[in-house]
Amino acid sequence: MSTATPITVVLEQEQDFVFRLHFEGLDAPDVLSDEGAPLGHDQGPRPSHLLLAAIVNCLSASLLFALRKYKNAPGRLRASISAVAERNADGRLRLPRALATLQLPEGSADYAHLERVLATFEDFCTVTQSVRQGIDVQVEVRDAQGQLLLGQAPTEAVL
């Protein structure tokens, strides 16, 4: 059983496919997400954009941490990530692969222990490694009175 505090994001529908995401326990602004046309109106990043942003952000933070661990003081990192949605065998859109490109601000000779940094930093990226291994996402649906309509009540071991 884990004693770590759960990471909680609360989502509320604003209109159509526009949702407000609130990050519980953080002093951070809410974020709006939306689907692209014809479902939505592109008033915010799509869920697939948020997934890709989480991956590339985590990779960049892990790289920065690893660089600093070996007393490197890099300038500003830059990164991008790209993926193409494809239909699976059931005709559903999925992101089967993504390419993340992380750009160091200096030449490789300017970094101490760069080979070690590059060999290990990905292992410390919680998001990327979670996505790579697959996340067992359990789903429940409740009505306005809290009655469970789909799924089963999560146990502490799940959270």
Side-chain angles (χ1 to χ4, degrees):
M1 179 173 1
S2 174
T3 59
T5 303
I7 299 167
T8 303
V9 178
V10 178
L11 180 141
E12 289 188 48
Q13 182 184 17
E14 294 278 313
Q15 62 182 8
D16 291 328
F17 288 88
V18 177
F19 294 92
R20 177 173 301 281
L21 297 130
H22 174 73
F23 305 94
E24 288 208 349
L26 297 180
D27 185 21
D30 292 352
V31 173
L32 292 181
S33 69
D34 192 7
E35 290 290 346
L39 294 178
H41 306 286
D42 288 315
Q43 293 183 6
R46 298 174 191 163
S48 54
H49 289 116
L50 295 170
L51 174 65
L52 293 175
I55 292 169
V56 77
N57 183 233
C58 189
L59 283 168
S60 298
S62 293
L63 178 58
L64 179 60
F65 178 84
L67 287 166
R68 288 181 175 172
K69 179 180 176 182
Y70 291 103
K71 309 297 185 228
N72 292 293
R76 295 173 65 141
L77 298 175
R78 181 173 170 80
S80 65
I81 189 166
S82 298
V84 175
E86 297 176 7
R87 298 216 180 260
N88 65 10
D90 296 322
R92 308 291 192 257
L93 286 175
R94 299 294 183 259
L95 299 175
R97 69 194 72 70
L99 173 62
T101 303
L102 285 66
Q103 181 72 49
L104 293 171
E106 294 89 19
S108 61
D110 294 325
Y111 298 100
H113 305 284
L114 185 59
E115 188 174 306
R116 177 93 172 121
V117 166
L118 296 176
T120 61
F121 84 95
E122 289 182 62
D123 290 340
F124 295 98
C125 179
T126 303
V127 174
T128 302
Q129 296 305 336
S130 296
V131 171
R132 281 180 176 159
Q133 292 179 10
I135 299 172
D136 178 15
V137 179
Q138 299 182 22
V139 177
E140 65 178 33
V141 177
R142 295 180 179 270
D143 68 11
Q145 288 73 43
Q147 180 180 343
L148 187 64
L149 305 174
L150 173 71
Q152 55 187 13
T155 63
E156 261 188 65
V158 173
L159 297 177

mmCIF file of all heavy atoms in Angstrom, residues 80-114:
data_model
loop_
_atom_site.group_PDB
_atom_site.id
_atom_site.type_symbol
_atom_site.label_atom_id
_atom_site.label_comp_id
_atom_site.label_asym_id
_atom_site.label_seq_id
_atom_site.Cartn_x
_atom_site.Cartn_y
_atom_site.Cartn_z
ATOM 1 N N SER A 80 10.518 19.413 -28.384
ATOM 2 C CA SER A 80 9.263 19.283 -29.127
ATOM 3 C C SER A 80 8.892 17.816 -29.147
ATOM 4 O O SER A 80 9.727 16.938 -28.913
ATOM 5 C CB SER A 80 9.407 19.825 -30.554
ATOM 6 O OG SER A 80 10.334 19.036 -31.280
ATOM 7 N N ILE A 81 7.639 17.559 -29.414
ATOM 8 C CA ILE A 81 7.155 16.188 -29.531
ATOM 9 C C ILE A 81 6.096 16.157 -30.624
ATOM 10 O O ILE A 81 5.300 17.086 -30.746
ATOM 11 C CB ILE A 81 6.618 15.647 -28.188
ATOM 12 C CG1 ILE A 81 6.319 14.139 -28.282
ATOM 13 C CG2 ILE A 81 5.423 16.440 -27.704
ATOM 14 C CD1 ILE A 81 6.112 13.474 -26.938
ATOM 15 N N SER A 82 6.134 15.113 -31.424
ATOM 16 C CA SER A 82 5.178 14.973 -32.526
ATOM 17 C C SER A 82 4.632 13.557 -32.541
ATOM 18 O O SER A 82 5.346 12.596 -32.237
ATOM 19 C CB SER A 82 5.851 15.241 -33.871
ATOM 20 O OG SER A 82 6.328 16.556 -33.928
ATOM 21 N N ALA A 83 3.378 13.444 -32.919
ATOM 22 C CA ALA A 83 2.732 12.146 -33.077
ATOM 23 C C ALA A 83 1.641 12.291 -34.123
ATOM 24 O O ALA A 83 1.097 13.378 -34.325
ATOM 25 C CB ALA A 83 2.135 11.672 -31.752
ATOM 26 N N VAL A 84 1.338 11.205 -34.779
ATOM 27 C CA VAL A 84 0.267 11.186 -35.764
ATOM 28 C C VAL A 84 -0.781 10.183 -35.291
ATOM 29 O O VAL A 84 -0.452 9.018 -35.012
ATOM 30 C CB VAL A 84 0.798 10.781 -37.161
ATOM 31 C CG1 VAL A 84 -0.337 10.642 -38.154
ATOM 32 C CG2 VAL A 84 1.820 11.797 -37.644
ATOM 33 N N ALA A 85 -2.011 10.630 -35.180
ATOM 34 C CA ALA A 85 -3.097 9.730 -34.799
ATOM 35 C C ALA A 85 -3.381 8.781 -35.957
ATOM 36 O O ALA A 85 -3.442 9.202 -37.115
ATOM 37 C CB ALA A 85 -4.351 10.526 -34.440
ATOM 38 N N GLU A 86 -3.519 7.516 -35.615
ATOM 39 C CA GLU A 86 -3.824 6.485 -36.604
ATOM 40 C C GLU A 86 -4.981 5.650 -36.089
ATOM 41 O O GLU A 86 -5.173 5.534 -34.886
ATOM 42 C CB GLU A 86 -2.609 5.577 -36.829
ATOM 43 C CG GLU A 86 -1.401 6.293 -37.391
ATOM 44 C CD GLU A 86 -0.185 5.375 -37.502
ATOM 45 O OE1 GLU A 86 -0.312 4.151 -37.274
ATOM 46 O OE2 GLU A 86 0.901 5.894 -37.806
ATOM 47 N N ARG A 87 -5.699 5.060 -37.006
ATOM 48 C CA ARG A 87 -6.807 4.185 -36.619
ATOM 49 C C ARG A 87 -6.271 2.794 -36.305
ATOM 50 O O ARG A 87 -5.453 2.257 -37.034
ATOM 51 C CB ARG A 87 -7.841 4.122 -37.720
ATOM 52 C CG ARG A 87 -8.438 5.515 -37.969
ATOM 53 C CD ARG A 87 -9.899 5.453 -38.311
ATOM 54 N NE ARG A 87 -10.402 6.803 -38.528
ATOM 55 C CZ ARG A 87 -11.086 7.486 -37.618
ATOM 56 N NH1 ARG A 87 -11.352 6.950 -36.459
ATOM 57 N NH2 ARG A 87 -11.512 8.711 -37.884
ATOM 58 N N ASN A 88 -6.766 2.217 -35.219
ATOM 59 C CA ASN A 88 -6.370 0.860 -34.873
ATOM 60 C C ASN A 88 -7.277 -0.131 -35.610
ATOM 61 O O ASN A 88 -8.086 0.268 -36.452
ATOM 62 C CB ASN A 88 -6.396 0.647 -33.349
ATOM 63 C CG ASN A 88 -7.796 0.743 -32.763
ATOM 64 O OD1 ASN A 88 -8.813 0.791 -33.466
ATOM 65 N ND2 ASN A 88 -7.856 0.765 -31.438
ATOM 66 N N ALA A 89 -7.158 -1.400 -35.300
ATOM 67 C CA ALA A 89 -7.936 -2.440 -35.986
ATOM 68 C C ALA A 89 -9.443 -2.245 -35.812
ATOM 69 O O ALA A 89 -10.227 -2.678 -36.660
ATOM 70 C CB ALA A 89 -7.518 -3.821 -35.490
ATOM 71 N N ASP A 90 -9.847 -1.591 -34.737
ATOM 72 C CA ASP A 90 -11.265 -1.326 -34.499
ATOM 73 C C ASP A 90 -11.722 0.017 -35.064
ATOM 74 O O ASP A 90 -12.858 0.438 -34.828
ATOM 75 C CB ASP A 90 -11.557 -1.373 -32.995
ATOM 76 C CG ASP A 90 -11.318 -2.745 -32.405
ATOM 77 O OD1 ASP A 90 -11.627 -3.749 -33.086
ATOM 78 O OD2 ASP A 90 -10.816 -2.816 -31.261
ATOM 79 N N GLY A 91 -10.827 0.721 -35.760
ATOM 80 C CA GLY A 91 -11.174 2.003 -36.353
ATOM 81 C C GLY A 91 -11.114 3.175 -35.388
ATOM 82 O O GLY A 91 -11.562 4.271 -35.718
ATOM 83 N N ARG A 92 -10.544 2.973 -34.202
ATOM 84 C CA ARG A 92 -10.448 4.042 -33.200
ATOM 85 C C ARG A 92 -9.108 4.756 -33.330
ATOM 86 O O ARG A 92 -8.073 4.124 -33.548
ATOM 87 C CB ARG A 92 -10.565 3.478 -31.789
ATOM 88 C CG ARG A 92 -11.776 2.600 -31.536
ATOM 89 C CD ARG A 92 -13.071 3.398 -31.561
ATOM 90 N NE ARG A 92 -14.175 2.611 -31.043
ATOM 91 C CZ ARG A 92 -15.094 2.039 -31.805
ATOM 92 N NH1 ARG A 92 -15.044 2.142 -33.109
ATOM 93 N NH2 ARG A 92 -16.074 1.355 -31.260
ATOM 94 N N LEU A 93 -9.137 6.073 -33.166
ATOM 95 C CA LEU A 93 -7.900 6.847 -33.242
ATOM 96 C C LEU A 93 -7.027 6.589 -32.023
ATOM 97 O O LEU A 93 -7.510 6.619 -30.887
ATOM 98 C CB LEU A 93 -8.200 8.344 -33.357
ATOM 99 C CG LEU A 93 -8.708 8.817 -34.706
ATOM 100 C CD1 LEU A 93 -9.082 10.293 -34.639
ATOM 101 C CD2 LEU A 93 -7.674 8.579 -35.795
ATOM 102 N N ARG A 94 -5.754 6.357 -32.270
ATOM 103 C CA ARG A 94 -4.757 6.147 -31.216
ATOM 104 C C ARG A 94 -3.466 6.844 -31.617
ATOM 105 O O ARG A 94 -3.243 7.141 -32.787
ATOM 106 C CB ARG A 94 -4.470 4.645 -31.012
ATOM 107 C CG ARG A 94 -5.674 3.826 -30.599
ATOM 108 C CD ARG A 94 -6.168 4.210 -29.204
ATOM 109 N NE ARG A 94 -7.264 3.383 -28.770
ATOM 110 C CZ ARG A 94 -8.550 3.747 -28.805
ATOM 111 N NH1 ARG A 94 -8.888 4.930 -29.269
ATOM 112 N NH2 ARG A 94 -9.489 2.940 -28.375
ATOM 113 N N LEU A 95 -2.627 7.086 -30.642
ATOM 114 C CA LEU A 95 -1.283 7.622 -30.880
ATOM 115 C C LEU A 95 -0.314 6.464 -30.672
ATOM 116 O O LEU A 95 0.143 6.222 -29.554
ATOM 117 C CB LEU A 95 -0.970 8.773 -29.917
ATOM 118 C CG LEU A 95 -1.885 9.992 -30.002
ATOM 119 C CD1 LEU A 95 -1.542 10.992 -28.904
ATOM 120 C CD2 LEU A 95 -1.818 10.626 -31.368
ATOM 121 N N PRO A 96 0.007 5.729 -31.719
ATOM 122 C CA PRO A 96 0.833 4.533 -31.552
ATOM 123 C C PRO A 96 2.304 4.822 -31.278
ATOM 124 O O PRO A 96 3.019 3.961 -30.778
ATOM 125 C CB PRO A 96 0.666 3.801 -32.880
ATOM 126 C CG PRO A 96 0.364 4.867 -33.863
ATOM 127 C CD PRO A 96 -0.434 5.907 -33.108
ATOM 128 N N ARG A 97 2.764 6.003 -31.621
ATOM 129 C CA ARG A 97 4.165 6.354 -31.394
ATOM 130 C C ARG A 97 4.283 7.873 -31.362
ATOM 131 O O ARG A 97 3.436 8.584 -31.892
ATOM 132 C CB ARG A 97 5.073 5.756 -32.458
ATOM 133 C CG ARG A 97 4.920 6.344 -33.843
ATOM 134 C CD ARG A 97 5.570 5.542 -34.948
ATOM 135 N NE ARG A 97 4.892 4.306 -35.279
ATOM 136 C CZ ARG A 97 3.712 4.215 -35.897
ATOM 137 N NH1 ARG A 97 3.058 5.296 -36.234
ATOM 138 N NH2 ARG A 97 3.174 3.057 -36.165
ATOM 139 N N ALA A 98 5.337 8.331 -30.724
ATOM 140 C CA ALA A 98 5.624 9.766 -30.662
ATOM 141 C C ALA A 98 7.131 9.945 -30.744
ATOM 142 O O ALA A 98 7.896 9.078 -30.316
ATOM 143 C CB ALA A 98 5.096 10.367 -29.366
ATOM 144 N N LEU A 99 7.546 11.068 -31.291
ATOM 145 C CA LEU A 99 8.964 11.404 -31.370
ATOM 146 C C LEU A 99 9.201 12.682 -30.569
ATOM 147 O O LEU A 99 8.689 13.748 -30.923
ATOM 148 C CB LEU A 99 9.412 11.609 -32.810
ATOM 149 C CG LEU A 99 10.845 12.128 -32.981
ATOM 150 C CD1 LEU A 99 11.858 11.143 -32.406
ATOM 151 C CD2 LEU A 99 11.137 12.434 -34.431
ATOM 152 N N ALA A 100 9.954 12.547 -29.487
ATOM 153 C CA ALA A 100 10.335 13.692 -28.667
ATOM 154 C C ALA A 100 11.767 14.082 -29.027
ATOM 155 O O ALA A 100 12.648 13.234 -29.090
ATOM 156 C CB ALA A 100 10.248 13.344 -27.188
ATOM 157 N N THR A 101 11.975 15.369 -29.274
ATOM 158 C CA THR A 101 13.306 15.890 -29.593
ATOM 159 C C THR A 101 13.672 16.918 -28.543
ATOM 160 O O THR A 101 12.994 17.938 -28.409
ATOM 161 C CB THR A 101 13.322 16.526 -31.000
ATOM 162 O OG1 THR A 101 12.902 15.548 -31.955
ATOM 163 C CG2 THR A 101 14.705 17.037 -31.355
ATOM 164 N N LEU A 102 14.735 16.638 -27.792
ATOM 165 C CA LEU A 102 15.206 17.541 -26.756
ATOM 166 C C LEU A 102 16.476 18.212 -27.257
ATOM 167 O O LEU A 102 17.381 17.537 -27.750
ATOM 168 C CB LEU A 102 15.482 16.775 -25.455
ATOM 169 C CG LEU A 102 14.243 16.337 -24.665
ATOM 170 C CD1 LEU A 102 13.429 15.310 -25.396
ATOM 171 C CD2 LEU A 102 14.632 15.835 -23.303
ATOM 172 N N GLN A 103 16.522 19.528 -27.169
ATOM 173 C CA GLN A 103 17.639 20.309 -27.704
ATOM 174 C C GLN A 103 18.454 20.895 -26.558
ATOM 175 O O GLN A 103 17.954 21.725 -25.791
ATOM 176 C CB GLN A 103 17.091 21.438 -28.577
ATOM 177 C CG GLN A 103 18.148 22.311 -29.200
ATOM 178 C CD GLN A 103 18.888 21.580 -30.311
ATOM 179 O OE1 GLN A 103 18.266 20.994 -31.177
ATOM 180 N NE2 GLN A 103 20.193 21.629 -30.269
ATOM 181 N N LEU A 104 19.699 20.451 -26.448
ATOM 182 C CA LEU A 104 20.607 21.042 -25.469
ATOM 183 C C LEU A 104 21.076 22.400 -25.987
ATOM 184 O O LEU A 104 21.316 22.554 -27.187
ATOM 185 C CB LEU A 104 21.811 20.133 -25.240
ATOM 186 C CG LEU A 104 21.529 18.796 -24.565
ATOM 187 C CD1 LEU A 104 22.762 17.914 -24.594
ATOM 188 C CD2 LEU A 104 21.067 19.022 -23.138
ATOM 189 N N PRO A 105 21.249 23.377 -25.108
ATOM 190 C CA PRO A 105 21.640 24.717 -25.560
ATOM 191 C C PRO A 105 23.133 24.865 -25.875
ATOM 192 O O PRO A 105 23.516 25.850 -26.496
ATOM 193 C CB PRO A 105 21.230 25.613 -24.399
ATOM 194 C CG PRO A 105 21.190 24.730 -23.216
ATOM 195 C CD PRO A 105 20.860 23.352 -23.705
ATOM 196 N N GLU A 106 23.951 23.913 -25.448
ATOM 197 C CA GLU A 106 25.381 23.989 -25.705
ATOM 198 C C GLU A 106 25.842 22.732 -26.430
ATOM 199 O O GLU A 106 25.102 21.753 -26.537
ATOM 200 C CB GLU A 106 26.160 24.128 -24.382
ATOM 201 C CG GLU A 106 25.917 25.422 -23.622
ATOM 202 C CD GLU A 106 24.745 25.364 -22.649
ATOM 203 O OE1 GLU A 106 24.316 24.263 -22.272
ATOM 204 O OE2 GLU A 106 24.232 26.434 -22.294
ATOM 205 N N GLY A 107 27.079 22.732 -26.882
ATOM 206 C CA GLY A 107 27.664 21.571 -27.542
ATOM 207 C C GLY A 107 27.933 20.448 -26.556
ATOM 208 O O GLY A 107 28.097 20.693 -25.350
ATOM 209 N N SER A 108 28.010 19.238 -27.035
ATOM 210 C CA SER A 108 28.170 18.081 -26.153
ATOM 211 C C SER A 108 29.439 18.164 -25.307
ATOM 212 O O SER A 108 29.460 17.688 -24.167
ATOM 213 C CB SER A 108 28.145 16.789 -26.961
ATOM 214 O OG SER A 108 29.209 16.763 -27.898
ATOM 215 N N ALA A 109 30.496 18.758 -25.824
ATOM 216 C CA ALA A 109 31.755 18.859 -25.081
ATOM 217 C C ALA A 109 31.640 19.755 -23.850
ATOM 218 O O ALA A 109 32.493 19.709 -22.953
ATOM 219 C CB ALA A 109 32.858 19.381 -25.993
ATOM 220 N N ASP A 110 30.580 20.561 -23.775
ATOM 221 C CA ASP A 110 30.400 21.487 -22.657
ATOM 222 C C ASP A 110 29.781 20.831 -21.424
ATOM 223 O O ASP A 110 29.614 21.498 -20.397
ATOM 224 C CB ASP A 110 29.519 22.667 -23.082
ATOM 225 C CG ASP A 110 30.189 23.525 -24.140
ATOM 226 O OD1 ASP A 110 31.423 23.673 -24.089
ATOM 227 O OD2 ASP A 110 29.469 24.029 -25.020
ATOM 228 N N TYR A 111 29.442 19.543 -21.508
ATOM 229 C CA TYR A 111 28.746 18.870 -20.406
ATOM 230 C C TYR A 111 29.615 17.777 -19.794
ATOM 231 O O TYR A 111 30.192 16.954 -20.509
ATOM 232 C CB TYR A 111 27.435 18.245 -20.893
ATOM 233 C CG TYR A 111 26.460 19.265 -21.409
ATOM 234 C CD1 TYR A 111 26.318 19.473 -22.776
ATOM 235 C CD2 TYR A 111 25.704 20.033 -20.538
ATOM 236 C CE1 TYR A 111 25.420 20.417 -23.259
ATOM 237 C CE2 TYR A 111 24.816 20.982 -21.013
ATOM 238 C CZ TYR A 111 24.681 21.169 -22.371
ATOM 239 O OH TYR A 111 23.800 22.103 -22.840
ATOM 240 N N ALA A 112 29.669 17.773 -18.470
ATOM 241 C CA ALA A 112 30.379 16.720 -17.745
ATOM 242 C C ALA A 112 29.492 15.485 -17.662
ATOM 243 O O ALA A 112 28.277 15.596 -17.450
ATOM 244 C CB ALA A 112 30.714 17.203 -16.330
ATOM 245 N N HIS A 113 30.084 14.329 -17.861
ATOM 246 C CA HIS A 113 29.397 13.041 -17.717
ATOM 247 C C HIS A 113 28.163 12.923 -18.613
ATOM 248 O O HIS A 113 27.173 12.293 -18.237
ATOM 249 C CB HIS A 113 29.014 12.788 -16.256
ATOM 250 C CG HIS A 113 30.167 12.873 -15.310
ATOM 251 N ND1 HIS A 113 31.108 11.872 -15.193
ATOM 252 C CD2 HIS A 113 30.544 13.857 -14.448
ATOM 253 C CE1 HIS A 113 32.006 12.230 -14.298
ATOM 254 N NE2 HIS A 113 31.709 13.438 -13.832
ATOM 255 N N LEU A 114 28.207 13.511 -19.790
ATOM 256 C CA LEU A 114 27.043 13.514 -20.672
ATOM 257 C C LEU A 114 26.618 12.097 -21.065
ATOM 258 O O LEU A 114 25.418 11.815 -21.142
ATOM 259 C CB LEU A 114 27.303 14.358 -21.923
ATOM 260 C CG LEU A 114 26.105 14.526 -22.855
ATOM 261 C CD1 LEU A 114 24.924 15.179 -22.122
ATOM 262 C CD2 LEU A 114 26.490 15.355 -24.080
#
